[in-house]
């Protein structure tokens, strides 16, 4: 190649085609490029368009001329030129520049410290994360925009990960950018009074990416490594900016534990229940780090949903075998989680833990209201099927088959049908 690869790209370039390096660089640098452009324009849609044009230029030029020594600088420079060209063709450019300068001046004069001052944030990706999780956006639009702008995924990759058509994904991203523009949302420091609700939204967007990637609702597989990997990277970025925030730490711990246990969940396309998983396949380094993070976070401040979810996952991950699980502790944590976040998934987890502590009859009594309240959700029905099978209930096999009919996940269908066949 004609050019040298800078930084940590160099080793990769020696082993991988330049086209792959372009993608890797983009996924790492996309938020920094957008933030650099945002300081010039402030409009996410304009910045994203210019950044995508720079990426297209890189895809053509880098394989021909070599990867530049400073890929981020190259992308920012080319994208900035594209942005300037677009602004010059816009008759409203003078008004837009005056508005941007007014926004910057107002932010500087605002009472209290800005986000960067308060959190010591040196990662532009966090600014983009906060923008993509703005309250004017729906949760689904925020997830799609985050995966595009912060994670650097293509529309096709996002559509595949979220199991929606490409056209739907493109519309969500387009609508999200239009909503930000209509609401006058721009790049810039976050006022102190907006920080807490915006962080809450960011954490939930990252968590939704994590849960979607770790339990795909449809298709031939349960896991999407791209989505779970991006969720982990986003959680890492958030934690670097807020290392002392307990809920952010809990979110990172949960992402680490989810990734650590993934290798044991599916074997040769077969879904493996927790009781049968080979725990030697779990990433013990990631588990140990997650436990350490939780030990630091739990004593400080109120305990939130992500700390509790991570604590439950840690109890499972640190048990040498399924029969060694501290189920009373799991039950206590689930009961705390239901108090903090009475989500159906929390209640279902509490019912499972109750069955392990007090017996299948107690668990069955707790899960029945969930089955009645969510007749089209296969999860409560599957739990009821398991508990009925433990009690020798004649309706267990039918419950397994009904649950299989309610899910579009092929591995889950196979597992549930196998359980029904075994009982028959």
């Amino acid at each position: 190649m004609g050019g040298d690869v800078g930084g940590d790209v160099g080793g990769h370039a020696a082993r991988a085609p330049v086209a792959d390096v372009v993608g890797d660089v983009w996924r790492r640098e996309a938020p920094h490029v957008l933030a650099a452009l945002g300081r010039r324009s402030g409009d996410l849609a304009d910045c994203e368009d210019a950044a995508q044009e720079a990426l297209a230029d890189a895809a053509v030029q880098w394989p021909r001329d070599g990867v530049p020594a400073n890929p981020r600088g190259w992308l920012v420079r080319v994208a900035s030129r594209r942005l300037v060209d677009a602004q010059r063709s816009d008759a409203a450019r003078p008004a837009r520049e005056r508005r941007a300068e007014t926004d910057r001046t107002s932010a500087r004069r605002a009472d209290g410290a800005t986000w960067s001052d308060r959190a010591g944030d040196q990662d532009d990706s966090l600014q983009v994360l906060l923008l993509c999780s703005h309250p004017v956006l729906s949760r689904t639009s925020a997830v799609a925009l985050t995966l595009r702008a912060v994670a650097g995924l293509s529309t096709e990759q996002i559509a595949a990960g979220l199991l929606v058509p490409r056209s739907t994904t493109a519309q969500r991203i387009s609508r999200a950018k239009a909503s930000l523009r209509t609401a006058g949302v721009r790049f810039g420091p976050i006022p102190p009074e907006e920080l807490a609700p915006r962080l809450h939204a960011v954490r939930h967007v990252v968590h939704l990416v994590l849960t979607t990637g770790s339990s795909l609702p449809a298709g031939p597989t349960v896991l999407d490594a791209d989505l779970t990997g991006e969720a982990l990277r986003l959680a890492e970025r958030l934690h670097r900016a807020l290392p002392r925030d307990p809920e952010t730490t809990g979110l990172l711990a949960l992402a680490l534990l989810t990734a650590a246990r993934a290798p044991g969940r599916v074997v040769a396309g077969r879904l493996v229940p927790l009781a049968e998983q080979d725990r030697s396949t779990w990433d013990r380094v990631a588990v140990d780090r997650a436990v350490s993070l939780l030990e630091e976070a739990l004593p400080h401040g109120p305990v939130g949903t992500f700390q509790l979810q991570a604590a439950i996952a840690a109890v499972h991950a640190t048990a040498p075998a399924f029969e060694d699980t501290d189920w009373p502790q799991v039950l206590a944590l689930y009961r705390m989680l239901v108090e903090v976040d009475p989500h159906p998934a929390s209640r279902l987890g509490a019912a499972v833990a109750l069955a392990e502590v007090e017996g299948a009859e107690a668990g069955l009594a707790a899960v029945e209201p969930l089955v009645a309240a969510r007749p089209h959700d296969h999860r409560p029905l599957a739990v009821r099927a398991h508990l009925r099978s433990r009690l020798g209930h004649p309706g267990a096999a039918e419950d397994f088959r009904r649950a299989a009919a309610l899910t579009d996940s092929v591995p889950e269908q196979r597992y549930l049908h196998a359980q029904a066949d075994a009982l028959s």
Side-chain angles (χ1 to χ4, degrees), residues 69 89 163 179 288:
S89 65
L163 298 171
S179 296
D288 290 344

Side-chain angles (χ1 to χ4, degrees), residues 319-341:
F322 181 80
E323 54 270 19
D324 298 320
T325 304
D326 187 347
W327 285 106
Q329 184 179 7
V330 172
L331 177 59
L333 289 168
Y334 263 120
R335 284 174 169 166
M336 293 173 65
L337 181 59
V338 169
E339 290 294 322
V340 173
D341 182 14

Side-chain angles (χ1 to χ4, degrees), residues 234-251:
L234 293 174
E236 290 274 18
R237 290 171 179 173
L238 196 59
H239 182 258
R240 281 201 301 270
L242 288 170
R244 291 179 295 278
D245 179 67
E247 269 293 80
T248 298
T249 302
L251 177 61

Side-chain angles (χ1 to χ4, degrees), residues 321-412:
F322 181 80
E323 54 270 19
D324 298 320
T325 304
D326 187 347
W327 285 106
Q329 184 179 7
V330 172
L331 177 59
L333 289 168
Y334 263 120
R335 284 174 169 166
M336 293 173 65
L337 181 59
V338 169
E339 290 294 322
V340 173
D341 182 14
H343 190 275
S346 306
R347 296 184 180 277
L348 186 61
V352 171
L354 181 65
E356 296 295 333
V357 174
E358 297 184 10
E361 287 281 7
L364 195 59
V367 83
E368 287 288 4
L370 294 173
V371 174
R374 302 178 66 83
H376 303 296
D377 186 348
H378 73 284
R379 295 173 183 85
L381 197 57
V383 170
R384 188 175 76 174
H386 277 290
L387 296 177
R388 280 182 165 182
S389 68
R390 285 167 57 177
L391 295 168
H393 192 289
E398 180 58 25
D399 274 354
F400 277 124
R401 292 193 178 92
R402 285 178 55 202
L406 289 173
T407 178
D408 292 321
S409 168
V410 174
E412 287 186 340

Side-chain angles (χ1 to χ4, degrees), residues 240-271:
R240 281 201 301 270
L242 288 170
R244 291 179 295 278
D245 179 67
E247 269 293 80
T248 298
T249 302
L251 177 61
L252 175 56
L254 180 61
L256 285 165
L257 291 164
T258 300
R261 293 164 55 190
R265 290 184 58 206
V266 180
V267 177
R270 183 178 68 88
L271 188 64

Side-chain angles (χ1 to χ4, degrees), residues 94-389:
R96 180 166 53 199
E97 290 182 342
R98 286 195 299 272
R99 185 172 68 248
E101 179 58 32
T102 300
D103 290 345
R104 287 191 290 269
T105 302
S106 299
R108 285 194 295 268
R109 293 176 179 172
D111 292 336
T114 64
W115 159 266
S116 297
D117 295 332
R118 297 180 77 231
D121 172 38
Q122 301 299 317
D123 191 348
D124 287 331
S125 61
L126 189 58
Q127 294 286 356
V128 184
L129 251 178
L130 288 164
L131 185 69
C132 293
S133 299
H134 195 278
V136 301
L137 302 180
S138 68
R139 191 64 56 82
T140 55
S141 294
V143 168
L145 187 60
T146 298
L147 290 173
R148 174 66 173 268
V150 186
L153 298 184
S154 68
T155 303
E156 289 78 7
Q157 288 174 309
I158 299 169
L162 299 181
L163 298 171
V164 296
R166 184 193 183 283
S167 59
T168 301
T169 300
Q171 289 171 0
R172 287 179 182 175
I173 295 171
S174 178
R175 282 198 299 267
K177 290 189 286 188
S179 296
L180 292 175
R181 173 175 286 171
T182 300
V185 179
R186 306 175 68 77
F187 280 97
I190 306 300
E193 65 273 11
E194 293 184 15
L195 182 58
R198 295 281 286 276
L199 280 174
H200 179 77
V202 167
R203 285 191 291 260
H204 279 274
V205 166
V206 175
H207 181 250
L208 186 54
V209 175
L210 177 67
T211 54
T212 301
S214 61
S215 186
L216 293 173
T221 183
V222 172
L223 304 173
D224 187 303
D226 283 342
L227 290 184
T228 54
E230 290 308 324
L232 178 55
R233 277 186 279 273
L234 293 174
E236 290 274 18
R237 290 171 179 173
L238 196 59
H239 182 258
R240 281 201 301 270
L242 288 170
R244 291 179 295 278
D245 179 67
E247 269 293 80
T248 298
T249 302
L251 177 61
L252 175 56
L254 180 61
L256 285 165
L257 291 164
T258 300
R261 293 164 55 190
R265 290 184 58 206
V266 180
V267 177
R270 183 178 68 88
L271 188 64
V272 183
L274 179 61
E276 300 174 18
Q277 288 178 20
D278 180 359
R279 300 186 176 217
S280 68
T281 65
W282 294 357
D283 185 345
R284 288 296 162 190
V285 174
V287 170
D288 290 344
R289 184 185 172 207
V291 171
S292 177
L293 286 169
L294 283 172
E295 289 174 346
E296 294 175 8
L298 287 172
H300 301 95
V303 178
T305 179
F306 298 126
Q307 296 170 76
L308 289 169
Q309 289 183 56
I312 293 168
V315 174
H316 288 298
T318 54
F322 181 80
E323 54 270 19
D324 298 320
T325 304
D326 187 347
W327 285 106
Q329 184 179 7
V330 172
L331 177 59
L333 289 168
Y334 263 120
R335 284 174 169 166
M336 293 173 65
L337 181 59
V338 169
E339 290 294 322
V340 173
D341 182 14
H343 190 275
S346 306
R347 296 184 180 277
L348 186 61
V352 171
L354 181 65
E356 296 295 333
V357 174
E358 297 184 10
E361 287 281 7
L364 195 59
V367 83
E368 287 288 4
L370 294 173
V371 174
R374 302 178 66 83
H376 303 296
D377 186 348
H378 73 284
R379 295 173 183 85
L381 197 57
V383 170
R384 188 175 76 174
H386 277 290
L387 296 177
R388 280 182 165 182
S389 68

